[in-house]
Amino acid sequence: MSLESAQAFVARLREDAQFRWSLGECRDQWERRRFIVLQGYRFSPAELVCATSPAGRASPERAAVIDRVRRQHGEGAYAFM
């Protein structure tokens, strides 16, 4: 998994309407995850959070902290970061 993959995914979502449309047609989170992996992207939820950070605070270290907090406190715990 990598932050670079998450950033490439976000960039493609912004630029490629057909890709965005195809992702939107997935029925559930499992189908979306499968679609993303089949398209060649591999990233953790924390890396995706960092890749979409409006403050531009994307780094592998930040992703590691978010992953650790999520494991300790649950899925919604990193929403504040």
Side-chain angles (χ1 to χ4, degrees), residues 41-76:
Y41 300 102
R42 289 194 173 273
F43 50 84
S44 70
E47 289 165 335
L48 184 59
V49 168
C50 287
T52 59
S53 173
R57 295 180 292 168
S59 72
E61 294 79 20
R62 184 170 168 76
V65 168
I66 292 170
D67 273 334
R68 189 180 74 242
V69 169
R70 182 183 54 79
R71 282 193 306 271
Q72 291 173 347
H73 302 287
E75 289 295 321

Side-chain angles (χ1 to χ4, degrees), residues 8-75:
F9 171 74
V10 171
R12 187 167 177 195
L13 275 178
R14 290 180 178 148
E15 298 167 2
D16 186 346
Q18 182 60 42
F19 179 73
R20 209 171 34 249
W21 187 263
S22 296
L23 183 63
E25 289 180 341
C26 295
R27 293 176 296 206
D28 56 32
Q29 69 182 17
W30 307 113
E31 192 174 319
R32 280 190 300 278
R33 188 69 189 149
R34 182 175 184 273
F35 175 79
I36 291 167
V37 169
L38 289 175
Q39 293 296 314
Y41 300 102
R42 289 194 173 273
F43 50 84
S44 70
E47 289 165 335
L48 184 59
V49 168
C50 287
T52 59
S53 173
R57 295 180 292 168
S59 72
E61 294 79 20
R62 184 170 168 76
V65 168
I66 292 170
D67 273 334
R68 189 180 74 242
V69 169
R70 182 183 54 79
R71 282 193 306 271
Q72 291 173 347
H73 302 287
E75 289 295 321

